[in-house]
Amino acid sequence: MMKEGIMISNHNAWQIWIGQEAFIVYEGMPVEIKFQSDYLNFIIGKDYDDWFVMYKGSVAFNLRHPDVYKIRVAPIELMREEDVF
């Protein structure tokens, strides 16, 4: 079952918030991002300090820092910062 939350910028990194818990965003992470009323599957990537998402392996767009994205993600993909460092 997918968890719903938001993805926001935290300086040069991105975070996923589900309720009151924050999780890191990492390269290669699969997420679903909501566009209008549908969720589409994306893979998160990074090029130096620029974060982007890939759709179907060929269409990419940059994540913009002031934007907030509604997302769904599989619980197995979620990691807290303290779990990584």
Side-chain angles (χ1 to χ4, degrees):
M1 174 146 183
M2 302 290 272
K3 294 201 173 233
E4 292 186 10
I6 59 171
M7 186 168 67
I8 61 171
S9 174
N10 181 12
H11 305 288
N12 287 336
W14 287 81
Q15 291 182 326
I16 292 175
W17 283 85
I18 298 175
Q20 298 294 317
E21 293 185 85
F23 301 92
I24 63 167
V25 172
Y26 54 89
E27 289 183 78
M29 182 180 208
V31 296
E32 294 179 357
I33 299 177
K34 188 172 186 177
F35 284 95
Q36 295 181 353
S37 61
D38 296 320
Y39 282 90
L40 302 175
N41 293 312
F42 290 91
I43 301 294
I44 295 176
K46 185 178 180 185
D47 185 28
Y48 299 100
D49 288 333
D50 295 326
W51 288 86
F52 61 91
V53 290
M54 290 286 296
Y55 179 69
K56 294 190 176 183
S58 61
V59 178
F61 70 87
N62 287 344
L63 297 171
R64 299 186 318 181
H65 292 284
D67 290 350
V68 175
Y69 299 93
K70 290 184 178 183
I71 58 102
R72 289 193 303 207
V73 63
I76 196 156
E77 302 294 341
L78 297 171
M79 292 188 290
R80 290 181 186 87
E81 190 169 345
E82 59 268 16
D83 295 339
V84 177
F85 299 107

